[in-house]
Amino acid sequence: MTDLSKYRNIGIFAHVDAGKTTTTERILKLTGKIHKAGETHDGESTTDFMDQEKERGITIQSAATTCFWKDHRLNIIDTPGHVDFTVEVYRSLKVLDGGVGVFCGSGGVEPQSETNWRYANESEVARIIFINKLDRVGADFLRVVGQVEDILAAKPLVMVLPIGAEDEFTGIVDLLTRKAHVWPDPSNPYEFEIRDVPEDMVDQVEEWREKLIETAVEQDDDLMEAYLEGEEPSIDDIKRCIRKGTIALDFFPTYCGSAFKDKGVQLVLDAIVDFLPDPTQVDAQELMSEEGEPTGEVAKVDASEPFRALAFKIMDDRYGALTFVRVYSGKINKGDTILNSFTGKTERVGRMVEMHANDRNEIGSAQAGDIFAIVGMKNVQTGHTLCSTNHPCTLEPMVFPEPVISIAVAPKDKSSVEKMSIAIGKMVAEDPSFQVETDEDSGETILKGMGELHLDIKVDILKRTYGVELEVGAPQVAYRETITQQVEDSYTHKKQSGGSGQFGKIDYRIKPGEPGSGFAFTSTVVGGNVPKEFFPAIEKGFQSMMEEGPIAGFPVLDIEVELFDGGFHAVDSSAIAFEIAAKGAYRQSMPKASPQLIEPIMSVDVFTPEDHVGDVIGDLNRRRGMIKDQMSGPTGVRIKAEVPLAEMFGYIGHLRTMTSGRGQFSMSFAHYLPCPQSVSDAVVEAEKERQAKKAS
């Protein structure tokens, strides 16, 4: 029986280029999992194994691996930092118990670190902080600690202090033990010596050690009382308090080093074991009813309970489809039959594997707390619950953001048509934020995603991994329509032909809803003028028309329909008659409600060196952007703005040109806002031309 207290399910997450993948590599090297650490910039890291990842030096999909440190089993997921792939971070955090947030010693708290930190807060994941790259120019440990407090509103608990900085970074002082870990030979980073604290740092170490102990003992009243009376707690007691506070999210133990030079990673591994929770110490997953409401029951982390697990990632590779699974309770053996509660179908578990990036070891069983993969499952998708056939249940599902950008693609030749549809099917199963639809009129295939880079990489995978030659159209913005005025109206659907006729009369108001509210239907009919059993048909009629707005045929957002009166016929009224009446009412009244076109607005976070700030702000203003905030840092300025997506295509190229290649930016969907009239007219005109082309 495995001892769950020796398990740590952790994720490593950060901004692009803060060094998460390199940190993962060093962890694998130190734990003996690999013998030579690969470098991201050489395209050789273990967890970045896709061609697209190697070339771009970024992580695109989260990779899972397992290693051991001090008798503890670490299941580690290395997640992407780029904003287009935050869905990977979100779904990884969902199944993890703890995390390591990596920050760059010179870049500090960067845009994507904020997004990932917010996701981790929402998922209530305990974290330790690793401030990396302290050997870089401009690196400053205590400045980044300050940014964690100011920008993330988090409480870093400083556990170590660096000896020197930039080129002079030679070691780390462990505040608890008052010992310095020093690397005397730069060419051999695995050999370090433990020495006394350098004389010029003694006062600083004592000051920070006192802060550390004061914060820690707040977790235990007895220790606090003794400490106030002058009695210093033992190191074991302090560690116990730090563990308690870390799991309660009261503070985040903070370490530093240089993963690339192998400095400081051992202390992070010790901290993972000492302070991050095991699977039994986090809140158990709630069980949901079929309607998606909490039942009050939880999936208890215990191997003797019924089997309950969440499929959190699908990955296709040369051996077939892999379904990554986190087991919350019970155990599973090779050959078992399990139920997918989403589809209601059972599947037999064939091969089970423990993953090491894209290598695998076969295993015969897994239990509560494990993360592993099942080979060859047929109908499982991300977010589905897998459970024992005798105890069906549903775990809280995952919610994924809606795509904001689309491109049309067409295969160049006939041989690619079938290849493309098979490949796209696999890719959609792997990535829930990537969607595909076929335009019924033109027959075009439309790919939808979270940003230009996201779709760029999908097209690249289609071309190289699946050998599909494509023609790619210009990116399209997901415009929507809404209304600005309330309309009160009446509509009667009447049809008399031989036999029974159709009759349905509705009196209704259509009014603008709150932003983000979608579609709402209410009924205030009194006296039974429209019988209750027809309300669902009326709602269905209105809702089915929301896909096509009155201006240019874009889907409609945020309207409320209130049914307040109507009439029916004892013989001729039916659900279908009222549904047709609702559809006719929509067509009749929507154009009267002052419809307008709305466009997706993106939260844009730009980093630029100081001497280019004016150019960058001027450029954002030209793109109809609203500047929200501006913050100076040691290496440049961060500008936060809201900009229409339509104006952001190709932005990275412009930004690099303006800033001599030093600018960076990230963006994520914020909300919809009305288009200016000139933009609206141009979009409507372009849409009319597109429809005319299809018709011809």
Side-chain angles (χ1 to χ4, degrees), residues 16 40 48 52-54 56-60 82 85 453 457:
V16 176
T40 319
D48 286 355
Q52 290 78 9
E53 293 179 310
K54 288 176 179 172
R56 296 166 198 249
I58 61 171
T59 305
I60 292 169
H82 198 285
F85 310 105
L453 178 67
I457 283 173

Side-chain angles (χ1 to χ4, degrees), residues 252-554:
F252 304 93
T254 300
Y255 291 81
C256 68
S258 163
F260 180 52
K261 300 275 172 58
D262 270 303
K263 294 177 180 174
V265 180
Q266 297 94 328
L267 288 168
V268 172
L269 277 166
D270 289 344
I272 289 169
V273 166
D274 288 341
F275 305 132
L276 288 180
D278 67 49
T280 62
Q281 291 174 308
V282 292
D283 290 343
Q285 286 281 322
E286 281 194 295
L287 300 183
M288 314 299 275
S289 67
E290 284 181 16
E291 290 74 43
E293 297 297 321
T295 58
E297 285 184 72
V298 295
K300 193 173 165 208
V301 183
D302 185 341
S304 59
E305 290 277 306
F307 173 69
R308 293 169 176 142
L310 188 71
F312 68 96
K313 180 177 169 63
I314 312 290
M315 197 169 98
D316 196 73
D317 74 357
R318 59 187 186 277
Y319 303 111
L322 286 170
T323 304
F324 282 84
V325 175
R326 161 74 198 258
V327 186
Y328 285 107
S329 61
K331 60 188 297 189
I332 180 173
N333 298 305
K334 192 173 163 179
D336 284 358
T337 297
I338 54 175
L339 172 72
N340 176 343
S341 65
F342 185 85
T343 60
K345 292 183 175 156
T346 55
E347 288 200 44
R348 190 171 168 278
V349 177
R351 290 169 57 212
M352 293 164 55
V353 292
E354 187 180 87
M355 294 302 294
H356 173 49
N358 63 343
D359 292 334
R360 65 217 46 217
N361 306 319
E362 296 254 348
I363 52 174
S365 67
Q367 63 158 30
D370 276 328
I371 291 178
F372 71 102
I374 302 175
V375 182
M377 297 203 83
K378 296 283 185 293
N379 302 309
V380 178
Q381 292 197 344
T382 300
H384 286 184
T385 300
L386 305 174
C387 53
S388 77
T389 48
N390 311 336
H391 297 88
C393 72
T394 304
L395 293 161
E396 187 186 3
M398 298 181 173
V399 182
F400 295 109
E402 284 297 309
V404 291
I405 177 172
S406 63
I407 51 172
V409 295
K412 281 189 180 163
D413 49 47
K414 286 218 163 61
S415 67
S416 290
V417 175
E418 192 178 339
K419 266 202 277 187
M420 181 173 91
S421 66
I422 293 169
I424 284 179
K426 289 178 177 175
M427 288 161 69
V428 170
E430 286 179 15
D431 181 354
S433 64
F434 173 59
Q435 295 179 9
V436 177
E437 59 184 49
T438 306
D439 188 311
E440 286 167 18
D441 303 326
S442 65
E444 284 179 322
T445 301
I446 311 288
L447 308 184
K448 298 179 168 188
M450 303 309 295
E452 277 185 288
L453 178 67
H454 192 198
L455 291 181
D456 194 23
I457 283 173
K458 295 299 180 198
V459 168
D460 201 31
I461 292 172
L462 279 169
K463 284 182 179 169
R464 281 201 288 182
T465 311
Y466 296 104
V468 181
E469 280 304 311
L470 291 175
E471 285 174 0
V472 181
Q476 298 291 324
V477 177
Y479 288 104
R480 296 288 181 261
E481 297 181 24
T482 190
I483 56 171
T484 55
Q485 286 184 350
Q486 178 173 320
V487 170
E488 194 171 298
D489 216 339
S490 177
Y491 189 89
T492 305
H493 170 66
K494 198 167 19 178
K495 189 175 172 193
Q496 284 309 130
S497 55
S500 64
Q502 289 182 352
F503 179 84
K505 175 177 187 287
I506 53 173
D507 296 341
Y508 55 91
R509 294 183 192 95
I510 295 182
K511 54 189 170 189
E514 287 293 314
S517 62
F519 170 78
F521 176 82
T522 53
S523 165
T524 51
V525 177
V526 287
N529 289 352
V530 178
K532 273 200 176 71
E533 65 261 29
F534 297 135
F535 292 175
I538 298 168
E539 181 174 359
K540 184 182 166 196
F542 277 110
Q543 194 158 11
S544 66
M545 298 296 284
M546 294 277 288
E547 282 304 303
E548 210 164 298
I551 305 174
F554 292 112

Side-chain angles (χ1 to χ4, degrees), residues 230-247:
E231 189 185 320
E232 183 168 302
S234 69
I235 286 186
D236 283 347
D237 279 339
I238 298 171
K239 280 186 171 178
R240 183 171 51 77
C241 289
I242 294 173
R243 182 178 182 84
K244 185 181 170 194
T246 305
I247 293 171

